[in-house]
Amino acid sequence: MAKYIFITGGVVSSLGKGISGASIGKLLQLHGFKVNMLKFDPYINVDPGTMNPYQHGEVFVTTDGTETDLDLGTYERFLDVYTSKANTNTSGDIYRTVIDRERRGDYDGATVQVIPHITDEIKRRFSALKDECDISIIEIGGTVGDIEGLPFMEAARQFQLENKKEDIFSIHVTLVPYIAGAHELKTKPTQHSVNKLREIGISPDMIICRTEHHLDKSLKRKIALFCNVKEDCVVEAMDAPSIYYIPEAFYNQKVDTLVMEKLKLNPKKKFDNAWFIKIKSFGEFSKIVKVAVVGKYADLKDAYKSIDESLNIAAIALKTKAEIDYLGAEDNDLVKKLKNYDAILVPGGFGNRGVEGKIRAITYARENKIPFLGICLGMQCSVIEVARNLANLKDANSTEFYEDTKHPVIKILDEQKNVKYRGGTMRLGSYKSQLKKSTLAHKLYKSSEIEERHRHRYEMNPEFVETLKKVGLYVSAYHKDVLPEIVEIKNHPFFIGVQFHPEFGSRPMKPHPLFEGFINAGLLNKKTIK
Ligand code: GLN
């Protein structure tokens, strides 16, 4: 069985196509189907790895080391699946595949064109996961009408024609804006958007309307009539207090039944609403933990999307509300501001900007025994901090920031050459590490071996491990006895730095042990210090 759900968007971007698709995927999972999601992004970048987080949010890393769009994080968290290279596709990557083929002479002298060569490659990728799951949900990025999105829409049209009607369900996500002056919701942008889609040859089966106000029956009827869909296939998607409430909101509108009807699917098991109940139980909590995230992109939460999710998920598991503030590492008042927080997290990053501020934040956390979690660059900064301030290696640095430092506590290692990297000079994707007994890491993970995702070039320099141990910074985990993976300080309530990115592993029902430990330490700190 290979069934496909296509999700396109119209009117404006950022309507939550990914969340809509993932919510429907969740419902289908609860009916017993194996579901996965694929993203098709029309931009020319081969992958989002080099894109500025200001424009594109965080780079989500899959276990196989693919640098992807943050939507894949949403797919993984909602569906509790693992995504990989096959789940992420960009125009750049698709064109590159076709051009490589052309260079090899595979097209036998033919003129290589958007139709059929690019569209054929897109169609091939639409069905990449068909043998692994019952239903593939395909999200096409951008909005209908974008020039660069056209080959994807055309490929979707062809795909529809080449497959059985009952194998494809097409969903269009649009905006129904509220005009305050007229006290009215407006359907015209939706009508235009669907017209545009139908011009291309795709007639949606369902329209999901993002709206700030309820859509009444007459409005739904109007949209149904103008957009050529059944009335019950006009679905309201109101802003929700949590994205995890959306599957239930769709369930209440029978979205799952409508999809299964058209796809001629019978539920594989009795629908289990325990997921909804659990999500609802998250509710509101009176306990609060205040977390400061000290990073470069203070005003852009999306740049730290998985960290934000991980903190919230961990807090919920401890019946706590996490109040998370993103503080700019370059803020002169940073340390003063940190006094208002129960726990401090320094996330990953690239480049020099803000590094000294991050180090100051770590000094503050270490000296004042505030729970600290350092992730990737945050871990590297904690090594620099301890080297400078406890081991008295005043110019200790990472060679990323100061190549000629006398004390390169973080650098690109010769040992790295023996570790086979997937990302060229970058260590990307999942790697195992072995944890030492009687360490905080071991206590949190309750395991001697873990596997976590990486995305970095530099490593802690093993030459300094002994020196730093003497002043209290221990390496509690290694990859293959060579690369330090976790550092911690013992006489501190919670001070841990990890070379990897634990934030990609959190799921709403499965908080990550490091984040759970961190939030718990924040709660304890609140009790003991304040
Ligand atoms: N810039 C550092 C490195 O390349 C850390 C990267 C990160 O935090 N993801 O090693």
Side-chain angles (χ1 to χ4, degrees):
M1 174 176 65
K3 304 279 182 182
Y4 301 90
I5 298 175
F6 283 88
I7 315 261
T8 55
V11 184
V12 290
S13 58
S14 307
L15 286 177
K17 293 192 291 286
I19 293 168
S20 297
S23 297
I24 294 171
K26 188 80 231 169
L27 294 179
L28 295 167
Q29 259 186 351
L30 296 175
H31 283 293
F33 296 104
K34 267 190 93 181
V35 181
N36 212 323
M37 280 189 76
L38 299 92
K39 178 94 198 260
F40 286 78
D41 271 314
Y43 50 74
I44 306 292
N45 304 59
V46 172
D47 64 45
T50 53
M51 290 167 92
N52 185 340
Y54 265 123
Q55 278 181 27
H56 205 73
E58 82 175 4
V59 173
F60 186 83
V61 182
T62 57
T63 54
D64 69 350
T66 311
E67 296 175 284
T68 74
D69 184 89
L70 54 76
D71 272 321
L72 271 78
T74 305
Y75 305 166
E76 288 207 1
R77 283 186 289 270
F78 257 91
L79 301 176
D80 193 9
V81 292
Y82 289 100
T83 56
S84 69
K85 172 104 182 60
N87 297 69
T88 178
N89 302 276
T90 68
S91 286
D93 189 28
I94 289 160
Y95 271 82
R96 189 162 78 168
T97 305
V98 171
I99 291 169
D100 284 349
R101 249 180 234 147
E102 185 272 334
R103 291 290 83 186
R104 281 198 310 267
D106 293 1
Y107 293 114
D108 221 8
T111 307
V112 181
Q113 292 177 303
V114 174
I115 305 170
H117 301 99
I118 295 294
T119 47
D120 279 354
E121 177 59 17
I122 297 173
K123 284 188 288 179
R124 191 183 67 75
R125 292 175 181 227
F126 282 162
S127 46
L129 299 176
K130 73 172 192 317
D131 298 328
E132 286 157 46
C133 55
D134 302 321
I135 304 158
S136 297
I137 302 180
I138 293 162
E139 178 187 351
I140 298 181
T143 41
V144 60
D146 295 347
I147 290 176
E148 55 187 12
L150 277 173
F152 295 93
M153 300 294 178
E154 168 60 14
R157 182 193 68 77
Q158 293 175 16
F159 197 78
Q160 221 173 253
L161 199 70
E162 290 159 10
N163 285 277
K164 290 197 204 114
K165 262 201 169 60
E166 69 249 36
D167 287 345
I168 290 175
F169 196 88
S170 171
I171 298 174
H172 192 56
V173 183
T174 71
L175 178 72
V176 178
Y178 180 72
I179 307 297
H183 300 293
E184 240 186 315
L185 285 164
K186 292 291 183 190
T187 65
K188 193 69 82 189
T190 297
Q191 295 178 36
H192 281 304
S193 183
V194 172
N195 273 346
K196 190 91 211 146
L197 197 63
R198 289 171 67 197
E199 260 171 39
I200 297 167
I202 298 173
S203 203
D205 298 297
M206 178 175 281
I207 297 172
I208 294 182
C209 305
R210 282 300 303 274
T211 169
E212 288 170 11
H213 298 269
H214 277 296
L215 305 182
D216 62 23
K217 245 190 145 356
S218 69
L219 212 92
K220 282 192 173 181
R221 197 171 305 136
K222 190 170 169 189
I223 294 173
L225 196 68
F226 278 102
C227 300
N228 199 35
V229 297
K230 289 192 219 142
E231 211 175 299
D232 50 3
C233 284
V234 178
V235 174
E236 170 189 289
M238 296 255 294
D239 294 345
S242 154
I243 53 170
Y244 300 112
Y245 287 177
I246 296 175
E248 189 172 4
F250 284 179
Y251 179 76
N252 292 337
Q253 297 178 70
K254 303 196 166 40
V255 171
D256 49 335
T257 314
L258 293 163
V259 171
M260 286 189 295
E261 257 170 34
K262 158 106 202 276
L263 293 180
K264 297 210 163 84
L265 289 171
N266 288 316
K268 280 194 166 174
K269 65 170 194 199
K270 194 172 167 303
F271 190 81
D272 180 4
N273 67 353
W275 200 85
F276 296 163
I277 295 168
K278 183 93 198 226
I279 291 289
K280 278 241 179 79
S281 77
F282 290 175
E284 291 283 307
F285 304 117
S286 53
K287 270 193 291 181
I288 288 177
V289 67
K290 293 193 74 177
V291 182
V293 176
V294 181
K296 193 154 83 171
Y297 307 104
D299 40 6
L300 192 80
K301 218 167 95 174
D302 264 2
Y304 303 113
K305 175 111 180 106
S306 292
I307 289 184
D308 201 77
E309 285 277 329
S310 296
L311 290 169
N312 281 314
I313 288 169
I316 286 167
L318 295 163
K319 304 218 168 306
T320 300
K321 180 175 167 24
E323 276 183 13
I324 308 161
D325 286 331
Y326 292 84
L327 305 183
E330 290 171 298
D331 184 341
N332 288 334
D333 291 331
L334 174 64
V335 173
K336 226 191 280 164
K337 288 185 180 163
L338 287 175
K339 300 206 162 64
N340 302 321
Y341 294 92
D342 306 314
I344 297 170
L345 188 150
V346 178
F350 292 82
N352 208 352
R353 201 156 67 71
V355 164
E356 293 304 319
K358 290 175 191 175
I359 294 173
R360 272 196 297 281
I362 297 169
T363 310
Y364 171 79
R366 182 178 56 73
E367 289 179 345
N368 294 284
K369 305 228 183 295
I370 310 295
F372 163 76
L373 174 59
I375 294 179
C376 208
L377 179 64
M379 173 266 201
Q380 297 176 354
C381 287
S382 73
V383 174
I384 299 171
E385 196 280 328
V386 170
R388 285 186 192 170
N389 299 327
L390 290 182
N392 219 18
L393 308 173
K394 288 294 174 219
D395 78 336
N397 217 327
S398 162
T399 53
E400 180 179 4
F401 313 127
Y402 180 32
E403 243 192 286
D404 300 325
T405 171
K406 271 212 290 300
H407 301 107
V409 289
I410 307 290
K411 69 171 198 172
I412 295 182
L413 303 177
D414 297 336
E415 285 89 335
Q416 278 171 260
K417 292 170 197 146
N418 303 324
V419 179
K420 210 173 157 282
Y421 283 177
R422 299 184 188 95
T425 60
M426 184 98 104
R427 184 143 74 112
L428 276 171
S430 272
Y431 286 86
K432 285 191 175 133
S433 27
Q434 287 71 42
L435 272 53
K436 292 202 167 21
K437 295 238 162 71
S438 319
T439 58
L440 176 60
H442 193 272
K443 198 176 121 203
L444 294 169
Y445 277 102
K446 298 185 181 70
S447 169
S448 302
E449 189 173 79
I450 56 165
E451 198 167 340
E452 294 277 13
R453 303 179 210 189
H454 290 248
R455 180 175 181 247
H456 57 102
R457 212 163 263 125
Y458 297 82
E459 310 271 353
M460 179 178 178
N461 185 348
E463 283 171 29
F464 289 89
V465 167
E466 276 311 307
T467 313
L468 296 178
K469 191 172 167 185
K470 282 191 194 123
V471 295
L473 186 93
Y474 295 78
V475 175
S476 51
Y478 280 95
H479 172 67
K480 291 191 172 163
D481 294 329
V482 189
L483 305 176
E485 293 274 14
I486 306 181
V487 293
E488 51 190 82
I489 286 180
K490 283 231 165 87
N491 64 0
H492 188 287
F494 191 101
F495 187 106
I496 192 161
V498 294
Q499 185 56 83
F500 45 80
H501 289 274
E503 70 271 27
F504 299 140
S506 296
R507 306 284 193 256
M509 303 295 163
K510 290 184 206 152
H512 191 287
L514 278 181
F515 283 93
E516 204 172 339
F518 176 62
I519 295 287
N520 196 34
L523 282 171
L524 290 172
N525 170 34
K526 200 179 196 106
K527 270 195 212 131
T528 52
I529 300 189
K530 278 151 210 170

